Amino acid sequence: MSTDKPKVATASLAGCFGCHMSILDIDDRILQLIDLVDFDKSPVDDIKEFTGRCAVGLIEGGCCNEENVRVLQDFRKHCDVLISLGECAICGGIPAMRNNVPLKECFDEAYRNGPSVHNPSGEYPSDPEIPLLLNKVYPCHEVVKMDYHLQGCPPPADTIWAALTALLTDKPVELPYELIKYD
Amino acid sequence: MSDSLAALVASTCEEFGNDRTRMMDIVRAIQKEEGCVSSETLDLIAGQLGTYRVEVESVVSFYAFLSSRPKGEVVVRICDDIIDEMKGAENVAAAFAEELGVEMGGTTEDGKVTLERTPCIGMCDQAPAAIVNDVPITNLDESKARAIAKILQEGGAPAHLVTTFGHGNNANDLVRSMVTNNIRKRGPVVFSDFSSGSAIDKALAMTPAEVIRDVKTSRLRGRGGAGFPTGMKWDFTRHSTGDKRYVICNADEGEPGTFKDRTILTECPDLMFEGMTIAGYAVGSDAGIVYLRGEYAYLLPFLEDVLSKRREKGLLGTNIGGKEGFAFDIRIQMGAGAYICGEETALISSCEGQRGDPKNRPPFPAQKGYLASPTTVNNVETFCCVARILDQGPGWFAQMGSKGSAGTKLLSVSGDCTSPGVYEVPFGITLGDFLKLAGGENAAAVQVGGPSGQMVGPDDFGKTICYDDLATGGSVMVFGPHRNILEIAAKFMDFFVEESCGYCTPCRAGNVLLQGHLKRILDGRGEMEDLDYMQKTGETVKLTSRCGLGQTSPNPVLSTLKNFRPAYEVLIKEKKEEGFKAAFDIQEALGDSKGLIGRESTIYND
Amino acid sequence: MMSDRITFTIDGVEVQADPGQTILQAADAAGVYIPRLCAHKELNPFGACRICTVMVNGRPQAACTTPAANGMIIENETEELTDNRRSIVEMLFVEGNHYCMYCEKSGNCELQAMAYRLSIMVPRHPYQFPDKDIDGSHPDIMIDRNRCILCARCVRASRDLDDKNVFQFVGRGKEKKVWINSEAKLSDTDMDVTDKATDICPVGAIIKKRTGYEIPIGQRAYDHKPIGSDIEEAKATAESN
């Protein structure tokens, strides 16, 4: 199975998987992509751990908890080029709406006072399996160095395609006007 | 709605002719009676003046000394500048807070005392200092703070806190202040004997054009710091079209570390008023305004008295000096705690009863200034120079100082020196020689021109104080080798963030970002690229800001990056091995969660 | 008549102006686009956003407030100025909370469009995530201060075009915010949905209720053409005729 093709890894942190859907939206060009690269750690192929060094890592979502931070750190370690894919990775996105609300209020709403909450003990879940939340949602580039940012919610498939093919063929990432969209 | 409040608002507005442009006086007067300008009051004032509630609210919300929420009967404002901090203001503040039982910014439960911080109140030579209502209290320490807090809690009046008086007019019955002048060196221009009326007599013997010519010949440049030629400014004002012209004296001495105008206002107000009167004659104005910073309100009754005495002597009013048709009078406009109002167009906005927002230029004040009329705005010290120039002759003045900077300059020195105070020195003196005069030879750094000026090190002590080398409006702050340069710069950035009017993007938003990055570096979380970021962002703020405040506000960062770069570099650690950005701290980011959940991280448990 | 015309250059191109025109107005008429956000054709110049900063004979000036004068040599699209503009636009993004993905103004937003035009992929400045308030009290209009860029268009429009004075700024510095002529609610003012002030907001800070997303993606103002294209195209059309 092992080839000398460059590897691409992807992850969704505090995101909705919409950006991953957009990767799939490149449609039949995915066949061309497979010719160019192998996928490493990614929900696309369900590889859970890195198998080696990757040329490109695509990160969807910002960091809302310690698990996100750990994954992002791992990607930084294994990827030559790291890309923030979409609004949440770039600015925190919808999850960052909580950044104006103290964490305690978020917890109280989620575990005590929310309309559908049933929690007679009133305790916050503390199982070590549940990652601790960060004090706010961080854009990825405020946690580790990110090399590129592809805007959009999600970034259009054409944007992802244009950026990936440029990177994999050693060309500069230059997006035309219509491919830079924040929504 | 209370009838007595309505009556107060009506009578106060009436007193100022129901004139919307006298908003500053109206809200100040009402606040003095009511303690604040409440929501109800906003409606009443708007109704009385025929304006909008939000217009009044907009003004009240702009000035630090105005408030829409009730405060204590007495407000203690502790000076928050770097010099006061160096002299122990933190301990003084803590003593006040403890004794009064309030947090900073809070009011005692009985509603008697409010405790606040305020930027430089012009008392750096006798720091730490505070103003209690309008009364300056200087040379504070912890035990004095506790004693004062007790007196105030027991209902003592602020004026009773003053038991000894400073020299000269500080002891005048209308001042009765403990402030000391600390005039360390007298010079021929400002701090010399002067006989009221002598300069006016000489001016009135000439035509206005000849007066302007003399001021031009003297090569006098503005003493506020920017250094615009005074004669040229007057010429523009005189030749601009308008039915009325105005002369405004900028006594909003707010640049931290500057207190030279305080001594002029205390000891030689006649000289200043005389200069203004001459300006009135020269530019063709019959109305002058002194814009006096709120922090110097303690001098107001005294200055009003000097003005009325000048009226009695025929030096103000109509047919001044016996000159048929020459009329000129001066009113004092109080400020209310806003550094930006030292910027001349913001000052004009404030005089017009607006927010202290600077105006777009052009048109310049000389074309369209106060109430859209041609206006010359000059510094307190500039007017003093004018009077002396007319009295002694332009040649006498021009031969003093250096090539591009004629005359003498008042410098106010504070910080790590043995003789803080005010010095009148000829322009062209080297910084090093000046430091010797003030007993500051051991300085490791000197901030020349206040936060908006530059921070220089010993390599630059050979530079000269003048417009073309080390320019200053009068502030010289001396820092010994034990001081942390970047903490000082950070303090200055805090100041600009606090004092930005918020009108334009780069100053409003950019300074917050510079402040944040500087703090990041001080916390040991900076990276080398942060220095480039600060340089570039600072340059953007400098280049694109709308007024002088914004254009100079990044100077604490830019001048320390230039002159003290190693101070930054030692704080920047090697790259974190975990691959994190230096500014990101996982333990801090998890802090809230760990507390709420009650356990440590299972991933990051170092 | 011709002698009254003012002549100057922008990036080497000769531009003519009528006396009293600002640099920005003259540039617009000549088909030269100078990026701006607070300036608006129907409003008096204000000079707040500073994006239109150009170099006039080597000195920085806001093109929207500076009168055109004979012989001015103006630089507009230099690398330095463009980067300053980017930096300022990025400041506006981080000092507010601009979530384009759920903003009704997206696609028609001038701040977003300016960022597109300047190819901003990520702000160089750290996000501030400030706490701002929303006023939904009015039956037809909503104020979302998360998106406000303090351009004063609503302040000027309400005062000068609607003759109402619904808006004014309160506070200063980073605490400065656009406020209303009532104690707390927009519904207590005489603001009307037909006011000019309702439509003039460049961002999604003042929006009409029940009108969100009426224009499909692909047909919105800036989906295909950069902001300023109308001005630049007017020139192109004039030249081809």
Side-chain angles (χ1 to χ4, degrees):
Chain A
M1 232 351 238
S2 174
T3 65
D4 52 4
K5 282 191 279 183
K7 290 178 180 174
V8 172
T10 76
S12 179
L13 308 179
C16 70
F17 271 91
C19 297
H20 273 77
M21 293 299 115
S22 205
I23 296 175
L24 301 180
D25 263 352
I26 61 175
D27 297 336
D28 55 351
R29 285 173 291 186
I30 200 141
L31 300 172
Q32 293 174 54
L33 188 61
I34 294 301
D35 281 342
L36 281 171
V37 298
D38 282 335
F39 273 84
D40 197 281
K41 179 180 161 78
S42 169
V44 174
D45 54 16
D46 211 23
I47 296 178
K48 306 286 191 200
E49 296 299 332
F50 281 101
T51 65
R53 185 111 202 119
C54 291
V56 178
L58 290 164
I59 302 292
E60 169 188 342
C63 293
C64 78
N65 63 33
E66 56 181 342
E67 169 68 12
N68 298 153
V69 173
R70 194 193 62 79
V71 172
L72 182 58
Q73 215 181 354
D74 207 25
F75 266 72
R76 182 70 275 179
K77 217 176 283 173
H78 287 93
C79 301
D80 295 337
V81 167
L82 212 47
I83 303 177
S84 275
L85 186 64
E87 291 294 309
C88 297
I90 292 172
C91 76
I94 302 272
M97 284 178 80
R98 79 150 159 107
N99 285 4
N100 304 314
V101 182
L103 196 58
K104 181 168 189 318
E105 281 179 39
C106 296
F107 277 175
D108 284 345
E109 185 66 17
Y111 300 125
R112 286 179 178 163
N113 308 329
S116 62
V117 175
H118 176 71
N119 180 10
S121 77
E123 282 173 22
Y124 304 138
S126 61
D127 191 310
E129 288 288 303
I130 304 172
L132 293 176
L133 286 189
L134 306 182
N135 57 351
K136 67 172 186 185
V137 178
Y138 287 78
C140 290
H141 65 272
E142 291 184 14
V143 177
V144 303
K145 181 180 187 303
M146 301 300 289
D147 303 293
Y148 292 93
H149 301 83
L150 297 179
Q151 289 270 11
C153 183
D158 289 346
T159 304
I160 300 171
W161 176 252
L164 268 185
T165 48
L167 280 171
L168 294 167
T169 53
D170 282 331
K171 292 195 181 98
V173 179
E174 283 166 356
L175 298 173
Y177 178 81
E178 297 205 40
L179 290 189
I180 302 175
K181 289 287 174 283
Y182 298 171
D183 59 0
Chain B
M1 193 170 283
S2 107
D3 288 346
S4 65
L5 180 63
L8 171 72
V9 169
S11 66
T12 309
C13 292
E14 200 71 45
E15 186 189 335
F16 293 100
N18 288 321
D19 183 352
R20 161 76 181 78
T21 71
R22 301 299 298 272
M23 185 73 83
M24 287 292 281
D25 301 286
I26 292 167
V27 291
R28 273 188 70 99
I30 291 170
Q31 176 168 299
K32 197 160 187 176
E33 294 298 317
E34 291 291 309
C36 71
V37 186
S38 65
S39 178
E40 190 185 350
T41 314
L42 295 172
D43 284 323
L44 287 168
I45 296 173
Q48 187 72 26
L49 297 180
T51 181
Y52 297 86
R53 171 200 164 92
V54 72
E55 286 286 331
V56 186
E57 190 169 7
S58 176
V59 174
V60 171
S61 65
F62 189 87
Y63 297 91
F65 289 0
L66 299 175
S67 175
S68 56
R69 268 179 242 120
K71 289 191 179 175
E73 289 162 35
V74 176
V75 182
V76 177
R77 295 189 169 94
I78 298 171
C79 182
D80 186 32
D81 69 28
I82 183 70
I83 303 296
D84 285 68
E85 189 180 300
M86 282 157 47
K87 305 287 178 186
E90 279 306 303
N91 294 338
V92 168
F96 266 116
E98 194 185 291
E99 202 64 43
L100 293 169
V102 293
E103 305 244 306
M104 191 52 70
T107 301
T108 53
E109 273 178 28
D110 58 7
K112 273 188 182 150
V113 188
T114 297
L115 184 63
E116 293 182 350
R117 287 184 207 280
T118 194
C120 187
I121 59 171
M123 304 286 164
C124 294
D125 54 338
Q126 39 214 300
I131 29 180
V132 179
N133 285 355
D134 290 343
V135 179
I137 307 290
T138 60
N139 291 311
L140 277 163
D141 59 29
E142 279 183 65
S143 67
K144 286 182 193 169
R146 287 181 196 281
I148 289 168
K150 277 211 181 76
I151 295 171
L152 295 176
Q153 272 179 315
E154 286 159 10
H160 294 154
L161 300 172
V162 181
T163 46
T164 55
F165 305 130
H167 316 114
N169 287 330
N170 290 298
N172 183 296
D173 260 357
L174 292 168
V175 183
R176 298 176 70 83
S177 168
M178 64 165 64
V179 174
T180 50
N181 287 329
N182 293 328
I183 300 172
R184 305 277 181 181
K185 188 178 181 328
R186 292 176 179 273
V189 179
V190 179
F191 295 130
S192 279
D193 291 337
F194 177 71
S195 154
S196 283
S198 60
I200 287 180
D201 285 346
K202 289 184 181 163
L204 296 181
M206 295 189 265
T207 65
E210 286 167 340
V211 173
I212 292 177
R213 184 204 59 202
D214 269 14
V215 175
K216 281 184 181 169
T217 312
S218 75
R219 296 191 288 119
L220 172 64
R221 293 168 68 176
R223 262 39 180 171
F228 194 82
T230 307
M232 208 190 280
K233 198 183 248 187
W234 287 11
D235 217 4
F236 289 147
T237 310
R238 178 168 184 81
H239 289 105
S240 294
T241 40
D243 295 336
K244 206 165 160 67
R245 292 185 174 69
Y246 291 93
V247 172
I248 295 183
C249 174
N250 184 346
D252 191 51
E253 176 174 61
E255 188 73 39
T258 319
F259 46 86
K260 47 116 187 157
D261 291 345
R262 184 196 78 211
T263 56
I264 294 178
L265 293 161
T266 309
E267 296 305 327
C268 20
D270 266 307
L271 190 64
M272 173 186 86
F273 289 139
E274 184 121 350
M276 288 180 71
T277 311
I278 292 165
Y281 178 67
V283 306
S285 161
D286 65 356
I289 300 172
V290 176
Y291 188 89
L292 185 64
R293 69 184 306 219
E295 290 81 349
Y296 292 168
Y298 74 103
L299 292 168
L300 180 63
F302 167 69
L303 292 170
E304 293 285 13
D305 185 59
V306 175
L307 284 175
S308 68
K309 283 182 176 139
R310 289 184 71 83
R311 284 183 200 109
E312 283 163 25
K313 284 189 207 159
L315 296 173
L316 286 174
T318 50
N319 299 332
I320 293 169
K323 181 98 173 175
E324 196 67 31
F326 174 46
F328 188 76
D329 212 331
I330 295 171
R331 79 170 169 95
I332 298 174
Q333 173 68 60
M334 288 307 303
Y339 166 75
I340 181 63
C341 290
E343 198 279 342
E344 62 176 0
T345 60
L347 184 152
I348 289 170
S349 296
S350 187
C351 285
E352 293 169 339
Q354 314 273 355
R355 297 163 62 80
D357 286 336
K359 294 173 189 278
N360 287 318
R361 310 195 256 198
F364 292 90
Q367 304 162 286
K368 265 189 176 180
Y370 179 63
L371 303 178
S373 295
T375 303
T376 180
V377 183
N378 300 101
N379 182 263
V380 166
E381 187 184 345
T382 310
F383 283 120
C384 292
C385 293
V386 162
R388 195 70 72 175
I389 287 163
L390 267 293
D391 197 35
Q392 302 282 321
W396 171 84
F397 186 87
Q399 49 87 28
M400 286 182 281
S402 68
K403 196 166 167 255
S405 313
T408 62
K409 182 80 193 83
L410 297 196
L411 299 178
S412 33
V413 190
S414 59
D416 296 320
C417 58
T418 55
S419 307
V422 182
Y423 294 72
E424 182 175 349
V425 294
F427 268 122
I429 187 171
T430 66
L431 181 57
D433 284 347
F434 179 67
L435 288 172
K436 271 183 214 143
L437 267 182
E441 302 94 318
N442 294 326
V446 181
Q447 184 78 21
V448 182
S452 70
Q454 347 171 20
M455 178 84 89
V456 296
D459 288 352
D460 287 325
F461 287 179
K463 286 190 170 177
T464 56
I465 290 173
C466 65
Y467 294 107
D468 311 309
D469 201 357
L470 286 175
T472 173
S475 175
V476 177
M477 292 187 263
V478 184
F479 302 108
H482 55 302
R483 305 293 177 190
N484 182 330
I485 300 295
L486 297 196
E487 277 177 9
I488 297 166
K491 187 93 185 159
F492 291 161
M493 288 317 298
D494 293 348
F495 171 75
F496 284 122
V497 166
E498 183 69 31
E499 295 298 327
S500 165
C501 77
Y503 192 110
C504 73
T505 315
C507 176
R508 179 186 69 239
N511 283 323
V512 172
L513 298 165
L514 289 171
Q515 177 194 39
H517 265 72
L518 191 48
K519 180 156 190 325
R520 189 185 269 194
I521 287 167
L522 275 164
D523 289 348
R525 293 188 200 176
E527 298 177 32
M528 284 313 263
E529 63 188 45
D530 288 330
L531 301 190
D532 300 334
Y533 168 87
M534 289 168 73
Q535 179 72 35
K536 256 190 126 182
T537 304
E539 284 168 5
T540 298
V541 175
K542 197 179 180 75
L543 186 95
T544 60
S545 284
R546 183 164 169 266
C547 79
L549 189 157
Q551 288 155 16
T552 55
S553 60
N555 282 354
V557 166
L558 294 175
S559 81
T560 49
L561 275 174
K562 177 167 171 258
N563 297 330
F564 296 90
R565 197 172 175 94
Y568 285 90
E569 287 169 351
V570 296
L571 290 172
I572 291 169
K573 301 202 179 82
E574 292 298 306
K575 259 214 160 94
K576 284 198 184 178
E577 50 188 284
E578 306 95 335
F580 284 144
K581 297 289 288 180
F584 181 77
D585 182 331
I586 181 67
Q587 294 306 332
E588 186 193 79
L590 289 171
D592 290 351
S593 238
K594 288 194 284 190
L596 288 164
I597 304 290
R599 68 170 174 87
E600 288 301 304
S601 164
T602 49
I603 301 174
Y604 295 100
N605 48 3
D606 48 15
Chain C
M1 275 302 282
M2 286 306 285
S3 61
D4 278 355
R5 295 281 278 180
I6 290 164
T7 306
F8 61 100
T9 65
I10 302 179
D11 293 335
V13 177
E14 196 174 288
V15 171
Q16 299 222 318
D18 292 322
Q21 269 189 319
T22 62
I23 294 171
L24 192 87
Q25 287 160 346
D28 280 0
V32 177
Y33 180 68
I34 300 173
R36 85 296 300 265
L37 284 176
C38 68
H40 188 277
K41 276 192 165 63
E42 290 181 64
L43 300 172
N44 288 327
F46 194 69
C49 76
R50 314 311 284 176
I51 288 163
C52 73
T53 301
V54 292
M55 300 304 280
V56 180
N57 302 331
R59 289 170 60 96
Q61 297 275 328
C64 70
T65 58
T66 307
N70 255 324
M72 278 178 165
I73 296 169
I74 293 171
E75 295 163 78
N76 175 33
E77 293 221 317
T78 67
E79 211 168 294
E80 189 197 6
L81 285 171
T82 300
D83 195 52
N84 278 316
R85 285 171 186 157
R86 272 195 205 105
S87 185
I88 294 171
V89 170
E90 289 163 13
M91 285 178 194
L92 289 169
F93 269 93
V94 303
E95 80 162 348
N97 294 305
H98 297 275
Y99 297 104
C100 298
M101 74 292 278
Y102 63 80
C103 180
E104 301 92 312
K105 194 79 173 192
S106 190
N108 299 304
C109 168
E110 294 179 38
L111 175 68
Q112 184 192 57
M114 191 59 68
Y116 289 168
R117 185 180 168 107
L118 298 169
S119 305
I120 292 173
M121 300 308 285
V122 64
R124 69 196 72 183
H125 314 298
Y127 288 97
Q128 306 291 299
F129 298 114
D131 195 11
K132 305 270 182 180
D133 46 34
I134 294 173
D135 181 347
S137 63
H138 195 283
D140 302 318
I141 304 157
M142 184 163 114
I143 305 177
D144 185 345
R145 294 189 179 83
N146 288 290
R147 302 165 180 168
C148 178
I149 59 167
L150 304 169
C151 67
R153 279 197 196 172
C154 58
V155 175
R156 287 175 283 162
S158 183
R159 182 188 61 210
D160 302 335
L161 305 179
D162 301 329
D163 200 19
K164 284 190 177 179
N165 236 72
V166 171
F167 299 102
Q168 191 41 278
F169 292 115
V170 297
R172 73 181 189 208
K174 64 176 174 175
E175 307 301 332
K176 178 176 174 167
K177 63 177 175 182
V178 68
W179 196 239
I180 48 177
N181 190 37
S182 79
E183 187 156 9
K185 294 192 211 144
L186 185 64
S187 55
D188 292 339
T189 70
D190 53 354
M191 179 91 177
D192 194 275
V193 73
T194 57
D195 286 359
K196 288 268 192 185
T198 312
D199 282 322
I200 212 151
C201 181
V203 290
I206 298 178
I207 47 170
K208 283 186 203 168
K209 291 184 175 175
R210 299 173 298 278
T211 63
Y213 312 109
E214 274 181 345
I215 308 170
I217 292 177
Q219 294 170 32
R220 301 171 305 181
Y222 307 113
D223 279 340
H224 303 292
K225 284 180 187 166
I227 189 169
S229 298
D230 49 340
I231 289 167
E232 289 164 332
E233 280 166 8
K235 187 197 180 192
T237 316
E239 275 172 2
S240 64
N241 289 342

